């Protein structure tokens, strides 16, 4: 296999397993397996299948995905490109820029724009790979071509004129987000004692203090013409002593938006007159200052102010004429109806600009004096031609000297770069068009080249400081994307670049298995470990993999809520703090997305079933439940936070619809199938990790596997083999599949007695066309207690988290363990709702699957209140008190379920009750009543 062929196999599903696994890691030996033998955790190298090789069939995943695909089909990608085009000085067209975080305005001045466009690229790439629909490839092609044009425009030393229809002929347009202005040579004004400025303008925004013209050195000596002052009318002012000394004249009405207006100001050393459309709108007979008074000034600008907080002028500019005399009112009026050059007034003798220029940064002076102007960006030119962003490079430059967070100034520029880079890699790997693939890779490679050119100049100490800043220094999963790019380009500088993004304080702590997560921003740090695993793939540096392995349980096992998510208000709290952190801002969806990626990456290296147990919980609960079950043309309808306080409701349109979580939500919903099946690098084993109706095409084996199931409504699945060949089929037996688990091959029962819940069953045989494997996995009801409040429980039915649907904001209380069976199943407490799959009632309260994306108020946790020890409804009258270990007596009795027989269970009751007696928690009489009640109770199997 060549480099690209290998990566197409390892990165189609949004994660490049990478060529490094072939260079630096040999696949472990696979032990021979016989049917029924439980496979211990292995350290094989696993590879994912391309998304195109796993087709989703009808089921909960395909229904959720269909809603996202509809959104993707209908959304105009020009809206996403508009912010990139604006930054590059290109015509954004009529497309309306997205709102929220992706817009030019909004939160933190739009400093995160471009991130959502990157997510959308990934979504399109995955949607095309999964469905083959031309619409997704077409949109992908359009986005890559648009970004390529933006990169080429940004690479110019100065921006080129955006030529548009003007008042006379052509004009130039400075669009919102372009950071452009025009600079004139000093001689265009000179030291005139009299002056007339005449220009046509078409403002598109009503910004106060945006300058039509500004000349000065600083905020002391200057003169300007502003489109609006604080009162909303045009203003001319001139001063040698700052604002307090301004000699000014104001207009009487605002300049209309999106309409050409002629504006002129005249100075004669005694007075200033202001004209709009040939009409005198303001006059001040006490304006004695002139350009001659101010003397030689440094800057002469159109569209930019010397006050840094003032906005740039946004709109059209046409025909600027500068005269060394004060025109009369009649002469000003005559400039309304024809170009100055063809009228009696003539061109300005100091300078005259028609703004008819195209494909250039130079604006020609037609006065004959050769005083040509130039179009400039406020931030200059990119430091490297590979730069691509939807905002200026100043975001990245400023970060290099920051010592504290200020997201209104710098908001995670490398995080945004990650989304764009990943989208480009996904486009390269999935596009049908060779030209699009080549452009996408060129853009990705160039982006890495630019980042290397910036970061290689910095010391390690500076980089460490940058990455430690919340949230300005957040860089997301950029290391993973850079290593994926390196796997495609082979450039050593790209691998070196990946090593620049290392927060050593975190990595070293996790490598030594020291938990320092309390107080850290969750999603700023989770993706770091995804990148470390990929760096390990390429470098073999054990520190990286060790840190990631140690980090995973710190989150998955100590800071994860019932739905599979983590974080409170985006931050981690103390280890084991669950009940005490329930709020309206739990479980940021990005965190779940990235923890799934980390679990998957780690499982590729070490087949610890815990990773897939976590994956299933989070996928079937938070990820599915984060997508609303309705269609929408404007929003992907994905949650940001998921509040888990009592009576919480999900918000599927957070912050105007373009948050980080809506971006990862688009990606999640178009790659649901990416971890259903994995294969060993040697193609000698197939892992079936998840139960989802799907068809796998195993090209390298010449085999198909069709999984037919209604899971999770159906409590089992059937796998049908197409083709033939010898391989080991590794079936995950979920940890919740405790009783009744059965596997049949072509109708013959397989011995699963050695396969414990939460492990993999391996069936090694020569498979023939039409062979079938049927798996029965009966669900049972169970509750999971929070570590910091053992009475607060989450209810599960198999893998499905059931939430109580109720508007109350007070924690609901139930007695859930009064009818517990020997298996540990609480099934007799829950009454099925007829006609509503996976819906149950306890008393008058309905419990529903969290995966249903509704806005109904819910309780993810409820109190289990059973005051006395009760078995199968038979009450002993003995208090259900806590023992030395903090458990209540009933919890200690049932924690070892399932029990093989009632006799085994009664013996366990005796031992547990005796421990409570010995500890002084119950009396001997109470101990005897517990035993008597247990003996008399009709506890079902």
């Amino acid at each position: 296999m060549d480099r690209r062929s290998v990566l197409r196999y390892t990165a189609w599903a949004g994660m490049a397993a990478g060529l490094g696994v072939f260079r630096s890691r040999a696949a472990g030996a696979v032990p021979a397996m016989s049917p029924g033998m439980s496979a211990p955790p292995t350290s094989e190298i696993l590879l994912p299948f391309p998304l195109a090789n796993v087709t989703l069939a009808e089921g909960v995943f395909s229904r959720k995905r269909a809603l996202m695909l509809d959104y993707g089909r209908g959304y105009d990608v020009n809206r996403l490109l508009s912010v990139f085009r604006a930054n590059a000085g290109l015509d954004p067209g009529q497309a309306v820029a997205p709102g929220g975080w992706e817009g030019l305005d909004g939160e933190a001045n739009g400093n995160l724009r471009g991130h959502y466009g990157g997510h959308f690229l990934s979504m399109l790439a995955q949607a095309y790979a999964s469905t083959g629909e031309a619409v997704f490839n077409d949109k992908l092609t359009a986005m890559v071509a648009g970004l390529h044009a933006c990169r080429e425009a940004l690479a110019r030393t100065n921006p080129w004129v955006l030529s548009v229809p003007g008042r006379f002929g052509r004009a130039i347009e400075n669009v919102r987000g372009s950071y452009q202005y025009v600079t004139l040579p000093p001689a265009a004004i000179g030291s005139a004692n009299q002056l007339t400025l005449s220009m046509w303008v078409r403002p598109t925004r009503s910004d106060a203090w945006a300058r039509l013209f500004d000349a000065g050195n600083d905020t002391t000596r200057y003169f300007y013409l502003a489109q609006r002052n604080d009162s909303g009318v045009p203003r001319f002012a001139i001063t040698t002593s700052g604002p307090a000394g301004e000699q000014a004249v104001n207009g009487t009405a605002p300049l209309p938006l999106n309409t050409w207006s002629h504006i002129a100001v005249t100075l004669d050393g005694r007075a200033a007159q202001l004209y709009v459309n040939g009409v005198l709108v303001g006059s001040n007979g006490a304006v004695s200052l002139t350009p001659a008074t101010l003397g030689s000034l440094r800057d002469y600008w159109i569209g930019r102010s010397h006050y840094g907080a003032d906005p740039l002028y946004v709109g059209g500019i046409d025909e600027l004429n500068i005269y060394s005399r004060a025109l009369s009112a009649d002469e000003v009026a005559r400039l309304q109806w024809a170009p100055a050059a063809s009228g009696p007034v003539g061109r300005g003798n100091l300078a005259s600009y028609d703004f008819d220029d195209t494909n250039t940064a130079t604006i020609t002076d037609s006065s004959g004096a050769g005083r040509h102007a130039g179009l400039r960006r406020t931030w200059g030119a990119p430091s490297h031609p590979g730069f691509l962003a939807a905002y200026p490079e100043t975001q990245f430059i400023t970060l290099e000297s920051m010592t504290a967070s200020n997201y209104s100034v710098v908001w995670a520029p490398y995080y945004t770069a990650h989304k764009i880079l990943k989208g480009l890699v996904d486009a390269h790997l999935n596009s049908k068009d060779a030209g699009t693939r080549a452009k996408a890779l060129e853009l990705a490679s160039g982006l890495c080249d630019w980042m290397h050119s910036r970061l290689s100049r910095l010391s390690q100490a500076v980089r460490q400081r940058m990455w430690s800043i919340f949230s300005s220094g957040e860089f997301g999963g950029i290391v993973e994307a850079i290593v994926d790019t390196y796997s495609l380009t082979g450039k050593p500088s790209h691998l070196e670049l990946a090593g620049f993004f290392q927060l050593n304080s975190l990595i070293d702590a996790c490598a030594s298995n020291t938990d320092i997560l309390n107080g850290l921003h969750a999603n700023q740090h989770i993706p770091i470990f995804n990148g470390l695993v990929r760096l390990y793939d390429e470098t073999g540096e054990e520190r990286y993999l060790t840190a990631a392995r140690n980090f995973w349980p710190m989150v998955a096992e100590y800071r994860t809520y019932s739905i599979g998510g983590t974080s409170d208000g985006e931050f981690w709290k103390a280890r084991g703090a669950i009940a005490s952190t329930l709020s309206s801002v739990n479980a940021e969806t990005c965190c779940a997305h990235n923890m799934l990626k980390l679990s998957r990456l780690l499982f590729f290296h070490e087949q610890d079933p815990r990773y897939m147990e976590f994956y299933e919980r989070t996928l079937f609960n938070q990820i599915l439940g984060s997508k609303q079950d309705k269609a929408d043309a404007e929003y992907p309808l994905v949650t940001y936070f998921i509040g888990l306080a009592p009576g919480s409701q999900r918000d599927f349109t957070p912050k105007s619809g373009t948050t980080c979580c809506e971006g990862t939500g688009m990606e999640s919903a178009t790659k649901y199938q990416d971890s259903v099946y994995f294969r060993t690098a040697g193609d000698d084993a197939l892992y079936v990790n998840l139960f989802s109706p799907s068809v796998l095409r195993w090209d390298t084996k010449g085999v198909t596997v069709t999984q037919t199931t209604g899971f999770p409504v159906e409590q089992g699945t059937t796998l049908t083999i197409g083709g033939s060949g010898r391989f080991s089929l590794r079936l995950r037996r979920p940890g919740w599949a405790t009783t009744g688990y059965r596997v049949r091959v072509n109708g013959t029962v397989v011995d699963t007695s050695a396969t414990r819940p939460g492990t993999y069953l391996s069936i090694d045989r020569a498979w023939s066309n039409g062979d079938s494997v049927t798996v029965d996995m009966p669900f049972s009801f169970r509750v999971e207690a929070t570590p910091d409040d053992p009475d607060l429980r989450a209810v599960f039915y198999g893998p499905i988290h059931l939430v109580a649907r109720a508007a109350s904001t007070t924690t609901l209380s139930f007695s859930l363990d009064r009818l517990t069976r020997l298996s540990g199943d609480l099934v007799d407490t829950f009454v099925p709702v007829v006609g509503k799959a996976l819906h149950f009632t306890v008393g008058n309260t309905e419990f529903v699957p969290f995966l249903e994306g509704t806005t109904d108020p819910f309780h993810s946790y409820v109190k289990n209140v059973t005051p006395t020890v009760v078995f199968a409804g038979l009450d002993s009258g003995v208090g259900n008190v806590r023992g030395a270990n903090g458990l209540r007596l009933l919890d200690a009795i049932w924690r070892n379920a399932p029990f093989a027989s009632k006799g085994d269970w009664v013996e366990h009751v005796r031992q547990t009750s005796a421990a409570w007696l010995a500890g002084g928690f119950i009396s001997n009489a109470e101990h005897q009543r517990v035993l008597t009640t247990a003996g008399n109770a009709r506890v079902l199997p």
Side-chain angles (χ1 to χ4, degrees):
M1 265 185 202
D2 61 25
R3 175 181 291 272
R4 187 169 186 276
S5 297
V6 172
L7 191 63
R8 285 175 70 88
Y9 272 95
T10 59
W12 281 76
M15 193 297 295
L19 299 180
V21 296
F22 297 98
R23 291 197 294 265
S24 62
R25 284 289 168 275
V30 181
M33 295 290 175
S34 60
M37 181 176 178
S38 179
T42 59
S43 296
E44 301 174 298
I45 294 300
L46 302 188
L47 300 176
F49 289 93
L51 286 179
N53 285 44
V54 184
T55 303
L56 286 179
E58 170 62 22
V60 62
F61 289 109
S62 65
R63 291 191 292 271
K64 291 273 189 177
R65 185 183 70 176
L67 296 169
M68 192 64 76
L69 293 178
D70 280 345
Y71 168 74
R73 291 186 192 98
Y75 200 86
D76 183 3
V77 297
N78 286 301
R79 297 182 63 185
L80 302 167
L81 288 170
S82 67
V83 292
F84 287 92
R85 287 170 173 154
N87 188 50
L90 301 177
D91 185 0
Q94 299 302 309
V96 178
W101 290 3
E102 189 68 4
L104 293 167
D105 299 298
E107 189 168 359
N109 304 310
N111 283 345
L112 210 66
R113 60 187 180 271
H115 83 114
Y116 196 76
H119 285 297
F120 206 90
L121 266 177
S122 292
M123 184 268 284
L124 291 174
Q126 293 174 174
Y128 177 66
S130 296
T131 68
E133 290 186 36
V135 63
F136 298 118
N137 188 70
D138 293 344
K139 287 175 179 284
L140 195 64
T141 296
M143 282 201 75
V144 170
L147 291 173
H148 194 270
C150 290
R151 200 276 307 272
E152 295 304 293
L154 284 168
R156 299 169 189 147
T157 301
N158 293 307
W160 283 2
V161 164
L162 173 56
S163 181
V164 297
R167 177 64 178 84
F168 304 117
R170 305 297 293 178
I172 70 168
E173 178 93 7
N174 283 348
V175 299
R176 171 69 171 158
S178 66
Y179 300 92
Q180 292 179 178
Y181 67 102
V182 176
T183 180
L184 308 180
I189 297 294
S191 57
N193 283 307
Q194 295 190 4
L195 185 75
T196 297
L197 292 173
S198 166
M199 63 192 304
W200 286 91
V201 294
R202 178 179 44 77
T204 58
R205 288 177 61 87
S206 57
D207 296 325
W209 303 114
R211 301 296 202 256
L212 302 177
F213 186 89
D214 195 307
N217 295 330
D218 45 36
T219 56
T220 301
R221 302 175 69 84
Y222 56 80
F223 66 97
Y224 67 78
L225 178 60
Q227 70 169 22
R228 297 189 182 202
N229 60 12
D230 284 334
S231 299
V233 298
R235 174 181 174 86
F236 171 81
I238 185 168
T239 182
T240 58
S241 56
E246 285 187 358
Q247 299 178 3
V249 57
N250 296 315
T252 56
L255 297 179
L257 300 182
N258 303 307
T259 300
W260 286 106
S261 297
H262 180 261
I263 188 165
V265 62
T266 65
L267 293 174
D268 60 8
R270 299 181 301 277
Q273 286 82 31
L274 181 64
Y275 298 86
V276 174
N277 294 327
V279 176
L280 181 66
V281 296
S283 180
N284 184 344
V287 178
S288 59
L289 297 176
T290 65
T293 310
L294 271 61
S296 178
L297 300 175
R298 184 185 64 229
D299 305 314
Y300 297 85
W301 294 333
I302 300 172
R304 182 179 179 182
S305 169
H306 281 83
Y307 286 84
D310 288 345
L312 295 172
Y313 169 74
V314 177
I317 305 168
D318 196 8
E319 195 172 274
L320 169 64
N321 283 283
I322 307 174
Y323 303 87
S324 62
R325 64 186 181 90
L327 298 185
S328 68
D330 181 65
E331 288 177 310
V332 171
R334 288 175 178 273
L335 293 173
Q336 309 306 299
W337 314 115
S342 60
V345 180
R347 293 185 178 277
N349 63 308
L350 291 178
S352 179
Y353 305 100
D354 293 330
F355 297 106
D356 290 337
D357 313 273
T358 59
N359 298 325
T360 180
T362 300
I363 298 168
T364 304
D365 173 21
S366 299
S367 71
R371 293 162 181 162
H372 306 305
L375 191 62
R376 300 290 184 266
R377 304 183 189 95
T378 60
W379 55 280
S383 61
H384 185 281
F387 174 72
L388 175 63
Y391 45 65
E393 192 176 359
T394 50
Q395 285 276 302
F396 300 88
I397 297 169
T398 304
L399 176 62
E400 295 171 4
S401 60
M402 289 181 72
T403 57
S405 176
N406 186 343
Y407 89 130
S408 65
V409 176
V410 175
W411 189 6
Y414 285 101
Y415 174 94
T416 306
H418 160 239
K419 305 309 174 188
I420 298 168
L421 180 61
K422 181 183 183 300
L424 291 169
V425 171
D426 288 341
H428 169 74
L429 294 169
N430 292 287
S431 174
K432 181 179 77 172
D433 307 312
T436 297
R437 291 197 300 271
K439 281 184 178 179
L441 183 57
E442 179 196 351
L443 289 170
S445 181
L447 194 53
C448 289
D449 292 341
W450 162 73
M451 285 188 285
H452 187 273
S453 73
R454 285 220 68 84
L455 296 175
S456 62
R457 297 182 294 103
L458 305 178
S459 68
Q460 185 183 50
V462 169
R463 293 195 297 262
Q464 292 295 311
R465 172 176 49 77
M466 288 164 58
W467 310 144
S468 65
I469 299 174
F470 164 79
S471 62
S472 303
E474 181 175 357
F475 54 77
I478 200 166
V479 174
E480 184 181 3
I482 292 169
V483 176
D484 290 350
T485 306
Y486 165 69
S487 296
L488 291 162
T489 66
K491 288 186 177 181
S493 61
H494 291 170
L495 186 58
E496 182 183 31
L497 171 65
F500 291 157
F501 293 89
Q502 295 193 32
L503 183 58
N504 287 334
S505 59
L506 177 69
I507 298 170
D508 291 342
C510 290
S512 64
N513 207 19
T514 303
D515 188 333
I516 63 167
L517 302 190
N518 188 14
L520 292 184
H521 181 252
N523 199 51
Q524 182 167 348
H525 296 93
I526 296 170
I528 290 175
F529 296 92
N530 299 336
L532 292 182
V533 178
R534 290 293 289 117
L535 270 175
Y536 167 78
D537 291 340
E538 296 295 345
T539 66
E541 175 57 59
E542 292 288 346
R543 170 176 171 261
Y544 298 147
L545 186 60
T546 299
R549 281 172 171 160
N550 291 342
F551 166 80
W552 185 88
M554 295 177 190
V555 178
E557 297 179 354
Y558 294 100
R559 292 179 173 87
T560 292
Y561 296 106
S562 51
I563 60 174
T566 188
S567 78
D568 177 31
E570 298 193 7
F571 288 81
W572 282 309
K573 300 298 173 62
R575 189 177 177 109
I578 298 296
S580 59
T581 63
L582 299 182
S583 72
S584 62
V585 289
N586 295 129
E588 184 187 357
T589 304
C590 276
C591 296
H593 173 88
N594 284 311
M595 279 300 294
L596 289 185
K597 294 184 74 173
L598 178 59
S599 302
R600 186 172 186 263
L601 283 163
L602 289 171
F603 192 78
F604 287 152
H605 291 278
E606 181 181 21
Q607 289 70 64
D608 188 332
R610 293 182 307 162
Y611 298 137
M612 281 299 130
E613 292 287 314
F614 175 87
Y615 200 101
E616 180 184 64
R617 173 190 292 254
T618 304
L619 178 66
F620 274 87
N621 294 292
Q622 172 150 4
I623 295 299
L624 283 180
S626 67
K627 174 71 186 85
Q628 190 172 15
D629 295 330
K630 63 178 287 189
D632 195 280
E634 179 68 13
Y635 301 114
L637 300 182
V638 176
T639 58
Y640 183 170
F641 296 122
I642 297 178
L644 296 176
S648 292
Q649 294 175 267
R650 278 168 276 186
D651 178 4
F652 292 103
T653 56
K655 296 179 178 287
S656 301
T658 53
T659 65
C660 51
C661 294
E662 286 154 297
T664 54
M666 291 191 297
E667 294 189 42
S668 290
T670 48
K671 66 176 185 69
Y672 287 136
Q673 75 270 38
D674 74 342
S675 297
V676 176
Y677 311 98
F678 298 148
R679 64 183 180 91
T680 54
D683 276 330
D684 51 7
L686 176 69
Y687 280 76
V688 180
N689 306 305
L690 301 170
F691 311 107
S692 175
S694 54
V695 179
L696 165 67
R697 192 178 75 247
W698 190 356
D699 291 337
T700 54
K701 199 72 173 176
V703 166
T704 63
V705 178
T706 301
Q707 185 173 177
T708 307
T709 180
F711 194 91
V713 175
E714 180 183 351
Q715 300 178 18
T717 190
T718 297
L719 305 168
T720 304
I721 308 299
S724 61
R726 187 171 191 90
F727 59 89
S728 177
L729 185 67
R730 309 271 172 83
L731 294 171
R732 186 174 69 89
R733 179 178 180 178
W736 47 263
T738 55
T739 58
Y741 182 76
R742 184 173 66 164
V743 177
R744 288 165 289 164
V745 175
N746 297 331
T748 301
V749 175
V750 174
D751 180 10
T752 61
S753 59
T755 304
R756 301 181 309 279
T759 64
Y760 277 76
L761 168 71
S762 184
I763 306 174
D764 189 358
R765 57 177 281 152
W767 299 91
S768 299
N769 187 51
D771 282 350
S772 66
V773 179
T774 303
V775 185
D776 299 321
M777 297 174 285
F779 291 4
S780 61
F781 289 89
R782 71 186 189 281
V783 291
E784 294 180 357
T786 61
D788 48 343
D789 183 353
D791 292 337
L792 197 65
R793 312 291 174 90
V795 176
F796 284 84
Y797 185 49
I800 304 304
H801 177 37
L802 300 177
V803 296
R805 183 171 286 171
S808 170
T809 56
T810 301
T811 302
L812 303 178
S813 296
F814 301 91
S815 178
L816 299 174
D817 51 4
R818 296 175 61 86
L819 301 173
T820 310
R821 295 189 174 194
L822 293 178
S823 62
D825 196 347
L826 306 176
V827 62
D828 298 309
T829 301
F830 294 85
V831 179
V833 177
V834 177
K836 298 170 73 174
L838 302 177
H839 284 234
F840 305 88
T841 58
V842 178
N844 295 321
T845 302
E846 186 174 10
F847 281 75
V848 304
F850 182 79
L851 62 82
E852 293 181 353
T854 75
T855 57
D856 297 308
F858 67 93
H859 293 241
S860 187
Y861 293 92
V862 298
K863 281 283 187 181
N864 183 57
V865 179
T866 307
T868 57
V869 176
V870 180
F871 302 127
L874 192 60
D875 195 338
S876 69
V878 175
N880 186 22
V881 296
R882 298 189 192 278
N885 56 6
L887 291 177
R888 295 191 182 275
L889 181 51
L890 274 178
D891 295 328
I893 289 172
W894 289 115
R895 67 187 305 188
N896 289 332
F899 298 97
S901 66
K902 181 179 178 181
D904 290 340
W905 172 73
V906 169
E907 174 58 21
H908 180 67
V909 171
R910 187 193 66 77
Q911 294 176 6
T912 305
S913 181
W916 254 244
L917 172 62
F921 302 107
I922 60 175
S923 66
N924 184 61
E926 290 173 323
H927 170 59
Q928 294 303 321
R929 287 206 304 274
V930 169
L931 297 183
T932 300
T933 305
N936 293 335
R938 299 184 62 184
V939 183
L940 297 175

